[in-house]
Amino acid sequence: MWCLELAGRFPDYSEDLWGISASDSEHGYAVWGGPPAMGRIDGSLVPCATGGSLVFMPKECIRVLQNIREKFGKRTWKKYGFVDAFNPLTGWASSDVLGIDAGITLLMAENARTGSCGNSSAKIRK
C-alpha cells in the first residue's frame, strides 16, 4: 500500500494507521495524495480516505478506522463522526467534521455491506 511507503518519513503510518487525500492541515487546506506523491504531505491523516476505501478493502479499513477512534479518541471523533484530518506526529486535529467526508464513508460502508450504492458490479463477493 502506498501510504506504507511513506512510513520512513512519517513513522506513525502503519498497516493500522493510513489514509491521505486533500484535506485540512495545520496550515490550511492542502491538496495532497498519490502515488506518486503530490503536494506537501506533512504526516496528516484523513479518516475519510480510509473510509472511502471500505468497498475495496473492508477488513483493513475497518481496522484502521477503529484504531483511529480508539487511539486518538476525542481529538478525531466528534458528535457527527471523524474530523476532516489529524496529524498524529504533531497532535493537531481539525475541528471540522465535514458532510462530504461522512458521506463518502457512509456510502462506501453501505456499498461494502450490501452492494446497493452505485454500480452493483463493485459489490464485494463473500
Side-chain angles (χ1 to χ4, degrees), residues 14-53:
S14 71
E15 288 186 10
D16 294 329
L17 191 60
W18 53 265
I20 61 173
S21 182
S23 68
D24 285 344
S25 77
E26 288 181 78
H27 309 288
Y29 188 78
V31 177
W32 48 31
M38 177 183 69
R40 195 179 82 199
I41 299 169
D42 72 353
S44 292
L45 292 169
V46 184
C48 76
T50 306
S53 298

Side-chain angles (χ1 to χ4, degrees), residues 66-85:
Q66 286 175 330
N67 182 47
I68 292 171
R69 185 150 184 214
E70 290 169 9
K71 188 172 181 180
F72 301 98
K74 293 180 182 181
R75 285 192 351 212
T76 61
W77 182 261
K78 305 294 181 188
K79 180 178 180 179
Y80 298 107
F82 286 108
V83 298
D84 183 50

Side-chain angles (χ1 to χ4, degrees), residues 13 54 78 82 86 96 126:
Y13 286 18
L54 277 162
K78 305 294 181 188
F82 286 108
F86 71 102
D96 297 327
K126 296 182 180 177

